[in-house]
Amino acid sequence: MLPFEISEYKERLGKTKQTMEAAGIEVLLITDPANMNYLSGYDAWSFYVHQMLVVMTDEPQPVWIGRKQDANGAKLTTWLDAHDIIPYPDDYVQSPIKHPMDFVADILKEMGQAKRHIGVEMDSYYFTAKCFERLQAALPNSVFKDATLLVNRVRLVKSDAEIMYMKRASKLAEKAMAAAIEAINDGVRECEVAASIYQAQISGTEEFGGDYPSIVPLMPSGNKTCTPHLTWTDSRYTNGDLVIVELAGCYKRYHCPMARTAVIGHPAPQVKEVADIVIEGLNVTLEAIQPGMTCEEVEQVWKRYLSDKKLEKDSRLGYSMGLNYPPDWGEHTASLRQGDLTVLEPNMTFHLIPGIWLDDFGVEISESFRVTEKGYEVLADFPRQLFVKPVLKAM
């Protein structure tokens, strides 16, 4: 079931260990499921309970520690030997007395790792304050270090195999967005459009099916388009509604996000003006992208373009993305914004979002791209325009 060759996992592990050594970390405790997947292949919807991948600089394989009923999932989806898959009993699950980190600490003691410099993902969604408290109490002779984003940064530059999966995800994004634009019409319920999106995302193509994306379709409409992160309701669209759709295709946990904006009936002049600015600014920014630029310099291209348009965007222009699990497809590392001096390298991948959200409406049109040896490559192929849906007259 492994989506990559074992040699690729070992190469990723080697880079992670080099980064650990440079940071003075001997043992790395990974709770972010994307990082667990990246290094081991582990893939299951089990991240609602505590689980962990332990990487030690002096051990050839990581150790997976998780709930007993998920251990066979680790055997099926990872490249790890059976003795490196260690389950904890079910009485640790959501117990007011016992905690899975107590079990993890006991395993580290048994392995002679209780007096090491231990890195933990302090700002991960999946590593709680209670986790840290219990580890500190159980391992008083260890030195804990913040290893947030250590593996995420190793993930920034994708392999060719990862890029292939993201290109498959782009085909799913195209299909899902086409389904959304087709379904949006006067009198149609928002939830029906969401259902069309999900059907397209997961049914996929004749060649391959889709995975569940890390974020649900974001679908603000009407005056709610002034903010980007609202989902659907059971309300019906009406003539004049502006509709933003942001979604992603997902294949083997690799994403290709995309946003488009549609209007039912004739767009207001201000909407058309903002849409034209967003599209032209997106084109100008893409054409400027070169390896060796910094993230900050990419955003500066957009800001120079926008400077005389009497519009302002105070949120970041984009972010690195790829492999992930809910609640986000972003990698939480490089951002296209002022102050980010991350240098663009070939096979880095970003979601570029020159969206404009005003007080009473917004326009969002985005593209996912990879940095190439000479410039950029947009992953999905979908019309870059404001979609106008004519109102169908009743017979």
Side-chain angles (χ1 to χ4, degrees), residues 257-333:
M258 175 169 50
R260 292 293 186 268
T261 301
V263 62
I264 300 171
H266 295 292
Q270 189 180 12
V271 169
K272 181 66 165 60
E273 180 184 6
V274 172
D276 288 344
I277 289 171
V278 168
I279 293 167
E280 185 177 7
L282 175 57
N283 293 338
V284 168
T285 304
L286 281 171
E287 289 302 319
I289 290 170
Q290 295 286 334
M293 292 178 73
T294 64
C295 287
E296 178 181 69
E297 289 171 335
V298 175
E299 195 221 23
Q300 287 171 353
V301 174
W302 160 258
K303 281 197 167 182
R304 284 194 296 270
Y305 168 78
L306 200 64
S307 61
D308 63 346
K309 304 298 180 183
K310 298 181 181 180
L311 291 173
E312 183 180 352
K313 175 179 169 64
D314 56 8
S315 57
R316 63 182 177 175
L317 185 63
Y319 49 82
S320 63
M321 55 80 205
L323 164 69
N324 226 329
Y325 287 80
D328 191 15
W329 52 53
E331 293 178 326
H332 300 184
T333 48

Side-chain angles (χ1 to χ4, degrees), residues 363-377:
V363 173
E364 184 181 352
I365 298 170
S366 75
E367 296 287 8
S368 291
F369 72 90
R370 79 173 180 101
V371 182
T372 66
E373 295 289 344
K374 296 182 178 180
Y376 72 97
E377 177 187 16

Side-chain angles (χ1 to χ4, degrees), residues 19 40 56 60 90 137 141 173 179 234 255 266 268-269 323 331-332 361 372:
T19 307
S40 73
M56 294 157 281
D90 217 64
N141 297 314
D234 60 357
H255 293 76
H266 295 292
L323 164 69
E331 293 178 326
H332 300 184
F361 79 93
T372 66

Side-chain angles (χ1 to χ4, degrees), residues 13 62 74 88 90 117 146 153 174 196 199 246 265 318-319 346 374 377:
L13 183 63
Y88 60 76
D90 217 64
H117 287 74
D146 186 1
R153 295 197 180 280
E174 294 166 9
S196 297
Q199 198 280 334
E246 182 177 347
Y319 49 82
K374 296 182 178 180
E377 177 187 16

Side-chain angles (χ1 to χ4, degrees), residues 152-158 320 331 333-334 342 347-349:
N152 301 58
R153 295 197 180 280
V154 175
R155 289 164 41 198
L156 258 173
V157 177
K158 312 299 185 291
S320 63
E331 293 178 326
T333 48
T342 303
N347 275 12
M348 285 184 176
T349 51

